[in-house]
Amino acid sequence: NAGVTQTPKFQVLKTGQSMTLQCAQDMNHEYMSWYRQDPGMGLRLIHYSVGAGITDQGEVPNGYNVSRSTTEDFPLRLLSAAPSQTSVYFCASNRRRNTEAFFGQGTRLTVV
Amino acid sequence: TQLLEQSPQFLSIQEGENLTVYCNSSSVFSSLQWYRQEPGEGPVLLVTVVTGGEVKKLKRLTFQFGDARKDSSLHITAAQPGDTGLYLCAGDPGGYNKLIFGAGTRLAVHP
């Protein structure tokens, strides 16, 4: 079982560049979300989706876009990378709200 | 300001000691989840507590949900080096479909 797959695992960007972090799940989960993890801050919610075609903002949405065209995929786009976006990014999926969140292995992003 | 406040932030103990970590909020949660995260990995669910006053046991780990459903605790008996990791609590405040995490307690258990 693949579960939640994130790519790439590591990425270095220059300030101002754009990129897309990929996330795919094969569990037919309705709920998907993106978090960033910084030292001492835990996981902070960026964007989330309760189903295909529906997305909403989390705690720290600025500088990020998402879309959910299929149940399986939930890509996160950085529009113009800034050093403050250096972080570890995790994608998660849940069967439904308040059930277990399954996480990918994370993407470590450095913006220089 | 964190909606879910976890304490302590760091804990370093010897093998065999007992410990308790806390997750507190001013908001009411319909349920709270506890996760453990190891370096380089995503968090993995340990338990979900749903009912106010509920106590759940998972081997040497005991989880409690406060009567008012605003706080939770995790107690580990006779800690082992394999318990080392980051312990995170999470919940959906107000039923807004958002799973919010606390900042975590980083536990180190030394042989």
Side-chain angles (χ1 to χ4, degrees), chain A residues 31 33 35 37-45 48 50 56-59 88 90 94 97-106 108, chain B residues 1-3 9 30-31 33 35 37 40-45 48 86 88 91-92 94-104 106:
Chain A
Y31 188 95
S33 49
Y35 294 87
Q37 186 171 34
D38 303 296
M41 302 291 289
L43 289 154
R44 290 185 293 169
L45 182 64
Y48 65 100
V50 300
D56 207 344
Q57 296 181 350
E59 303 167 277
V88 181
F90 286 98
N94 309 47
R97 182 174 70 85
N98 280 340
T99 60
E100 178 178 2
F102 292 85
F103 285 84
Q105 289 213 306
R108 185 173 294 275
Chain B
T1 302
Q2 294 267 343
L3 195 61
Q9 191 176 358
S30 57
S31 64
Q33 299 172 349
Y35 290 79
Q37 184 180 20
E41 302 288 331
V44 175
L45 181 72
T48 301
L86 179 66
L88 297 155
D92 179 2
Y96 293 116
N97 288 324
K98 299 181 183 183
L99 188 63
I100 303 297
F101 282 78
R106 191 166 297 280

Side-chain angles (χ1 to χ4, degrees), chain B residues 47 49 55-64 75 77:
Chain B
V47 80
V49 286
V55 177
K56 277 192 175 178
K57 293 194 175 184
L58 195 67
K59 297 183 180 177
R60 293 176 293 100
L61 279 59
T62 301
F63 303 85
Q64 186 160 6
H75 181 80
T77 303

Side-chain angles (χ1 to χ4, degrees), chain A residues 62-76:
Chain A
N62 292 341
Y64 308 94
N65 269 358
V66 292
S67 59
R68 183 100 181 267
S69 55
T70 67
T71 298
E72 294 77 21
D73 299 300
F74 191 43
L76 177 72

Side-chain angles (χ1 to χ4, degrees), chain B residues 3 11 13 18 20 22 24 30 41 45-46 49 51 56-57 60 64 69 72 83-84 90 95 103:
Chain B
L3 195 61
L11 198 51
I13 61 171
N18 300 334
T20 302
Y22 300 92
N24 295 302
S30 57
E41 302 288 331
L45 181 72
L46 294 172
V49 286
T51 306
K56 277 192 175 178
K57 293 194 175 184
R60 293 176 293 100
Q64 186 160 6
R69 292 186 286 123
S72 182
D83 296 325
T84 293

